[in-house]
Amino acid sequence: MNQLEWNPKHTALLIVDVQNDYCHKEGSLAQQDLDVSMVEEMMPNLKNMITSMKEINVPIIYIQTIHEDSTDSETWIKRLKGKNQKNLCRKDTWGAKFYQLEPDKDDVIVIKHRYSAFINTRLDSVLRALKIQTLLMAGVSTNICVESTARDGFMLDYDVIFLSDCTAAFSREAHDMTLQTINQFFGTVATSKEVMISIPAVLVGSEG
């Protein structure tokens, strides 16, 4: 692939919906017979990515889905199509807590109630305040909440680097389809290794 172009001073790592109900084998979606095995594959890569980004002072922004009666519109509930997911990421439940990750006190947590982290949240305000121009996208699921957030970010004029090995879907086919779509229309798909390899070059470039 071409040399990645990003400036650590103007980049944030967005970690979308890495929560028990989406990722844990005893979470709500696994109990609905969705395959969460890809999560275990990507978690070591994501943890390494978090460490690497902290070393160069790239902000870490955790996106957390919280569902409650006050945000459950009739239209939003219809997305379930009769499936028993009423308890998915409900406020103050184990399922809504982060999975294998613990944000540091200087990390940012943005609460969302829809697929995209830009819809009716403070995310855009946070990114503008931090002077962010590039989004490193990670989390679950690749083809739903991560993709929705990446698309909206692109259309709000953020550059998107979509981390193929720090994202997970409930099927390999859905994951791969999103990577193809993002890379063709909404940003650049890269592995965490490719991003890490580019760090020395981008650090030199950011000094100019």
Side-chain angles (χ1 to χ4, degrees):
M1 65 176 297
N2 296 329
Q3 177 67 39
L4 289 173
E5 295 182 4
W6 59 287
N7 185 334
K9 294 180 180 178
H10 301 294
T11 298
L13 173 61
L14 268 60
I15 303 171
V16 179
D17 291 358
V18 180
Q19 297 167 250
N20 288 327
D21 268 345
Y22 295 126
C23 302
H24 198 287
K25 63 181 180 181
E26 297 179 2
S28 177
L29 295 192
Q31 295 302 310
Q32 299 293 322
D33 295 325
L34 289 177
D35 183 2
V36 297
S37 61
M38 281 187 68
V39 174
E40 296 307 314
E41 296 176 24
M42 72 92 167
M43 286 305 294
N45 300 323
L46 177 55
K47 291 175 182 178
N48 288 336
M49 190 69 181
I50 292 171
T51 299
S52 296
M53 293 302 102
K54 283 186 174 293
E55 289 175 352
I56 58 173
N57 298 314
V58 167
I60 311 298
I61 301 177
Y62 287 84
I63 309 299
Q64 184 178 24
T65 289
I66 299 292
H67 293 317
E68 53 188 309
D69 291 345
S70 62
T71 60
D72 283 347
S73 68
E74 291 184 7
T75 297
W76 182 240
I77 292 173
K78 287 178 183 177
R79 82 194 188 285
L80 301 177
K81 295 180 172 60
K83 297 178 182 178
N84 184 23
Q85 295 181 9
K86 182 179 180 181
N87 295 322
L88 179 67
C89 287
R90 302 309 287 185
K91 184 178 180 180
D92 299 325
T93 65
W94 169 85
K97 293 181 179 179
F98 293 112
Y99 175 71
Q100 293 190 16
L101 299 176
E102 187 67 39
D104 292 335
K105 63 180 181 179
D106 58 342
D107 294 333
V108 178
I109 298 175
V110 172
I111 304 298
K112 71 178 178 70
H113 309 290
R114 295 294 184 267
Y115 294 139
S116 170
F118 282 101
I119 299 299
N120 297 326
T121 74
R122 65 190 184 109
L123 178 58
D124 191 51
S125 295
V126 168
L127 295 173
R128 303 295 179 189
L130 294 174
K131 297 181 171 57
I132 299 302
Q133 300 169 1
T134 300
L135 308 178
L136 297 171
M137 298 298 310
V140 297
S141 82
T142 309
N143 61 311
I144 306 175
C145 294
V146 188
E147 179 176 347
S148 295
T149 301
R151 284 173 176 246
D152 284 350
F154 170 78
M155 288 185 278
L156 289 169
D157 292 325
Y158 293 100
D159 293 323
V160 172
I161 299 177
F162 203 97
L163 301 172
S164 60
D165 61 341
C166 294
T167 49
F170 305 117
S171 75
R172 183 68 61 178
E173 179 183 18
H175 178 79
D176 291 343
M177 287 178 64
T178 284
L179 297 185
Q180 180 178 349
T181 298
I182 292 293
N183 203 49
Q184 186 170 2
F185 297 108
F186 298 100
T188 299
V189 172
T191 65
S192 57
K193 182 177 180 180
E194 288 170 334
V195 171
M196 293 175 192
I197 289 174
S198 72
I199 288 175
V202 299
L203 285 177
V204 171
S206 69
E207 293 173 355

